[in-house]
Amino acid sequence: MSQPTIESILQEKRIFPPSSDFSRTAHIKSLEDYQKLYDQAQANPEAFWAELAEKELHWFQKWDTVFDWSNPPFGKWFINGKINISYNCLDRHLTTPRKNKAAIIWEGEPGDSRTLTYAQLHREVCQFANVLKSLGVKKGDRVGIYMPMIPEAAVAMLACARIGAPHSVVFGGFSAEALRDRLIDAQAKLVITADGGWRKDAIVPLKPQVDKALADNACPSVENVLVVQRTQQEISMQTGRDHWWHELQKTASPNCPAEAMDSEDMLFILYTSGSTGKPKGVVHTTGGYNLYTHITTKWIFDLQETDVYWCTADVGWITGHSYIVYGPLSNGATTVMYEGAPRASNPGCFWDVIEKYGVNIFYTAPTAIRAFIKMGDQHPKARDLSSLRLLGTVGEPINPEAWMWYHEVIGGGKCPIVDTWWQTETGGIMITPLPGAIPTKPGSATRPFPGILADIVDLEGNPVADNEGGYLVIKYPWPSMMRTVYGDENRFRRTYWEHIPPKDGKYLYFAGDGARRDEDGYFWVMGRVDDVLNVSGHRLGTMEVESALVSHPAVAEAAVVGKPDEIKGEEVVAFVTLEGTHQPSEELANALKQHVVQEIGAIARPGEIKFTDALPKTRSGKIMRRLLRNLAAGQEVSGDTSTLEDRSVLDKLREGN
Ligand code: PRX
């Protein structure tokens, strides 16, 4: 099985309309309803968003102006509105029958489980918010969160939001070095972690990584570390700096009113990879993000009051932020959190969770689907999956074969599939079917969400014809758009708004993806057009991996490319030239792979290291990655090679292949 190619998806003609049973009870019931909303939003976006903001959220104080674009590309939404997302996710449900409804159902790894009702979650969050305050965390202070998939991760996020301290969650699979860089950039005042977490049948240490990140006063802004006891292994606690979560939580008051935040106050920073430099801190603010994640969760996942909803992402990624924590809880839904991951030793793990809790809505990544296909149909078939009524995918293009398997084997042919295209930067889902309204085509994310003006353009910003490939752009701002790169406004402007220059004074948001639109107006996203890789749905910058490699004493130069992979979508392949007398060997290749894990984390481990005497470069010294991509994939080198400085480099690389 492979990633979709232009040829394969051009031939994809199957269409799956929603069943009338599904549409009848859906929030958005027909294509006409969708079109009406879409047209309304396009005609008057401010009125569209204002009406929803008023209807769907609680505001302590209403805004004066819906949208300010006087200083593009720095947009502001719901100006002077006062709101708190933790209030919208918790307090407002307590005066309704949702008070004792399950908010979070947690399935932990070696058979642990826990359910928190809205009332219980509210209490935990208030207590923990008071713990943060007692350690001196104030509105505006950044808090690092480096945790496993346990309910305390959501409690920590909501507690930060409650007191107005922006969180910066760092995926628990990142290394101490990667954590340190992010804590330094965010100037975090406090870090919340756990002794360890479970990852694929093993305990991964977390607190020791925090210790390493903070060693030698590398992050002077960090004053305190809070530690959840999860796995009980021996860890060291530094007196004065480190505190046990459960000890402080025990005595903390459960009264903590939610701070009235300005709509544009920062809610969180989340680091993501780009094509240049270090990961950038994507900044999201409060009101617009709350609204957009709320309404997309409601309409795209068609949330109904009794649904059990499960998104398998990790809270360390944007999907976890928007569609495990904030979107579902703002809607008063029951959201499942799972500490495990697909693995050969437990090939039925996802299906067990669905059966155990009667999951109705299931949202996962194509890479997981492909891994399960490989493990065999017998595993899902041995479980009762009849509770499912809607399926979703996110993170990378889904190949039509995987889509069909998901539809038939998991969805029993009856569940609509929402293939949702979006990014850390967009905050919420941008292009997606609305499941009761939009017929789906395997491999297409279909149509933009109401209020989202997506287009495919060339590098000058001119729209391209149907079925012609181009760059995916968004032509009008939306409430949950990222506000800036933390501490680097120029990078924000350059990366997203100037790559394709403003057209007739209008700014186009450049997503970094290539796509085409077909004759029905359906979008087919092909993948990144920049030097960003997508490995198992995780975003990785080639530059990041290259910097990690060249920080090893044996490496002179490194060039990293993606190679198509059956399960992961892409795999990291590194071409490396060596310093001085170092000689290529398998041991050195393994040492370099380990070095990348050490510097970034296991998700960046190269699948292959190819030693070479020289890298193919242009006369101006630019590495020709295109050629390396061809070589890594075992393809003939295609396209123009006339700019190569030294053709013999290419010949040698071919021979070595
Ligand atoms: O290339 C696109 C791909 O994932 C990128 C965004 O990565 P990240 O910020 O980590 O967020 C992932 C989860 C939202 C995009 O630029 N991508 C995401 N969803 C899809 C996708 N590509 C194709 N189809 C999708 N449904």
Side-chain angles (χ1 to χ4, degrees):
M1 199 171 310
S2 58
Q3 283 293 286
T5 59
I6 285 271
E7 293 71 30
S8 75
I9 59 176
L10 273 174
Q11 285 158 14
E12 183 52 61
K13 295 282 184 233
R14 287 170 286 201
I15 298 193
F16 295 83
S19 71
S20 51
D21 266 3
F22 192 97
S23 296
R24 198 171 42 245
T25 58
H27 287 292
I28 314 298
K29 299 181 188 332
S30 66
L31 201 50
E32 294 69 44
D33 287 358
Y34 160 76
Q35 197 61 52
K36 217 162 93 193
L37 285 168
Y38 189 87
D39 293 345
Q40 263 173 19
Q42 184 168 15
N44 192 344
E46 294 181 22
F48 176 77
W49 293 119
E51 195 185 319
L52 287 170
E54 180 108 56
K55 196 168 129 213
E56 301 285 339
L57 299 182
H58 176 273
W59 296 82
F60 299 123
Q61 180 188 303
K62 202 179 157 179
W63 55 90
D64 319 323
T65 314
V66 179
F67 176 51
D68 177 357
W69 195 231
S70 56
N71 180 28
F74 302 95
K76 291 186 184 153
W77 287 86
F78 307 111
I79 292 110
N80 291 329
K82 301 279 182 252
I83 187 168
N84 188 298
I85 197 167
S86 134
Y87 185 97
N88 276 312
C89 288
L90 301 169
D91 306 51
R92 63 169 170 161
H93 305 311
L94 301 185
T95 51
T96 74
R98 288 179 184 149
K99 181 177 174 189
N100 295 315
K101 172 177 174 176
I104 296 178
I105 295 178
W106 173 69
E107 181 69 11
E109 248 315 277
D112 297 349
S113 61
R114 191 175 161 201
T115 299
L116 284 163
T117 64
Y118 273 94
Q120 289 168 327
L121 182 60
H122 174 259
R123 188 183 167 89
E124 291 272 339
V125 168
C126 288
Q127 282 182 297
F128 192 63
N130 281 325
V131 169
L132 292 174
K133 281 188 189 169
S134 74
L135 293 174
V137 177
K138 291 187 290 298
K139 185 171 167 177
D141 290 339
R142 275 82 56 218
V143 172
I145 298 181
Y146 183 65
M147 289 177 90
M149 280 293 286
I150 54 178
E152 285 83 351
V155 171
M157 291 164 76
L158 290 159
C160 286
R162 194 162 189 88
I163 62 171
H167 52 71
S168 175
V169 184
V170 178
F171 171 57
F174 276 126
S175 67
E177 281 72 9
L179 171 65
R180 186 192 52 215
D181 288 349
R182 288 158 175 77
L183 293 175
I184 292 174
D185 191 79
Q187 296 223 296
K189 182 155 183 183
L190 180 144
V191 180
I192 307 165
T193 189
D195 47 1
W198 286 92
R199 193 158 286 275
K200 299 198 178 180
D201 306 316
I203 289 178
V204 288
L206 290 168
K207 174 63 166 53
Q209 303 279 46
V210 173
D211 292 340
K212 212 166 145 196
L214 301 184
D216 304 324
N217 204 24
C219 310
S221 60
V222 176
E223 293 168 6
N224 291 285
V225 178
L226 278 159
V227 189
V228 176
Q229 196 164 41
R230 166 71 188 120
T231 46
Q232 259 92 19
Q233 83 273 30
E234 217 29 62
I235 54 164
S236 69
M237 295 288 278
Q238 187 178 308
T239 316
R241 186 194 71 181
D242 301 344
H243 318 268
W244 285 109
W245 170 300
H246 59 273
E247 283 178 4
L248 299 190
Q249 185 78 339
K250 211 164 41 197
T251 52
S253 154
N255 296 318
C256 179
E259 188 78 27
M261 302 300 292
D262 190 273
S263 175
E264 277 301 328
D265 277 338
M266 179 158 64
L267 175 62
F268 64 84
I269 307 172
L270 184 58
Y271 287 84
T272 191
S273 299
S275 47
T276 56
K278 290 198 172 218
K280 45 194 176 224
V282 169
V283 170
H284 282 289
T285 59
T286 308
Y289 176 85
N290 194 166
L291 174 63
Y292 196 79
T293 52
H294 175 97
I295 199 64
T296 47
T297 308
K298 181 170 174 174
W299 288 354
I300 297 164
F301 298 110
D302 190 45
L303 268 186
Q304 307 291 339
E305 196 57 54
T306 56
D307 279 332
V308 176
Y309 162 93
W310 180 24
C311 165
T312 68
D314 190 288
V315 288
W317 310 112
I318 191 70
T319 310
H321 282 57
S322 301
Y323 298 110
I324 294 177
V325 180
Y326 290 120
L329 296 177
S330 181
N331 280 282
T334 296
T335 180
V336 175
M337 256 179 118
Y338 178 48
E339 196 183 19
R343 58 204 189 273
S345 62
N346 190 356
C349 60
F350 274 18
W351 324 127
D352 282 337
V353 175
I354 293 175
E355 184 177 77
K356 180 169 176 186
Y357 296 110
V359 170
N360 307 106
I361 303 166
F362 178 61
Y363 189 34
T364 194
T367 185
I369 297 170
R370 293 192 297 261
F372 281 116
I373 295 177
K374 207 162 172 195
M375 292 179 210
D377 293 9
Q378 68 276 22
H379 305 294
K381 285 195 168 143
R383 273 83 177 177
D384 178 4
L385 304 182
S386 60
S387 58
L388 288 172
R389 62 180 200 88
L390 177 62
L391 303 173
T393 83
V394 61
E396 56 180 312
I398 181 163
N399 40 317
E401 302 97 301
W403 195 102
M404 287 305 300
W405 183 87
Y406 198 30
H407 181 70
E408 280 162 16
V409 180
I410 305 305
K414 69 175 167 59
C415 303
I417 296 180
V418 290
D419 172 357
T420 61
W421 175 85
W422 60 295
Q423 312 178 294
T424 307
E425 293 88 339
T426 67
I429 297 168
M430 304 289 279
I431 304 181
T432 176
L434 293 182
I438 298 181
T440 50
K441 302 186 189 184
S444 169
T446 77
R447 309 270 298 264
F449 193 78
I452 302 305
L453 302 186
D455 207 353
I456 317 277
V457 299
D458 62 19
L459 265 185
E460 278 79 54
N462 303 307
V464 301
D466 284 354
N467 285 320
E468 223 174 78
Y471 301 98
L472 180 55
V473 294
I474 310 296
K475 296 195 294 186
Y476 193 80
W478 62 102
S480 66
M481 63 199 273
M482 80 182 277
R483 297 302 193 261
T484 189
V485 171
Y486 190 66
D488 198 346
E489 292 191 343
N490 277 333
R491 192 167 174 198
F492 173 62
R493 205 193 288 271
R494 251 190 351 260
T495 313
Y496 303 103
W497 304 93
E498 291 178 353
H499 198 86
I500 295 179
K503 190 131 185 74
D504 311 321
K506 292 215 168 82
Y507 278 78
L508 298 175
Y509 168 83
F510 171 65
D513 279 312
R516 76 179 170 97
R517 187 170 41 196
D518 70 16
E519 55 287 352
D520 298 325
Y522 277 44
F523 285 77
W524 301 77
V525 179
M526 306 302 299
R528 303 290 305 196
V529 291
D530 49 8
D531 292 319
V532 171
L533 306 181
N534 194 327
V535 179
S536 299
H538 300 318
R539 206 165 137 174
L540 262 185
T542 49
M543 276 259 301
E544 265 174 279
V545 187
E546 287 163 6
S547 314
L549 283 165
V550 296
S551 73
H552 189 282
V555 176
E557 250 191 326
V560 163
V561 295
K563 167 185 169 179
D565 180 86
E566 255 191 29
I567 307 284
K568 297 182 195 166
E570 268 185 311
E571 175 172 86
V572 174
V573 175
F575 291 82
V576 167
T577 65
L578 294 176
E579 274 299 350
T581 54
H582 290 278
Q583 289 301 317
S585 69
E586 206 178 311
E587 290 77 60
L588 183 56
N590 288 334
L592 295 183
K593 288 180 188 174
Q594 201 41 44
H595 183 69
V596 174
V597 173
Q598 173 98 10
E599 290 289 305
I600 304 176
I603 55 168
R605 179 197 295 274
E608 234 178 298
I609 303 268
K610 288 178 180 281
F611 294 108
T612 172
D613 294 341
L615 294 169
K617 291 186 185 165
T618 61
R619 277 177 209 105
S620 56
K622 265 186 95 173
I623 295 171
M624 294 183 75
R625 281 211 180 70
R626 177 171 55 81
L627 306 186
L628 295 176
R629 267 195 294 273
N630 288 150
L631 287 167
Q635 298 161 347
E636 257 314 292
V637 169
S638 60
D640 186 14
T641 55
S642 62
T643 52
L644 253 183
E645 187 200 20
D646 178 359
R647 290 196 60 86
S648 70
V649 171
L650 183 59
D651 297 334
K652 274 206 191 136
L653 275 166
R654 270 207 200 102
E655 280 164 26
N657 230 8

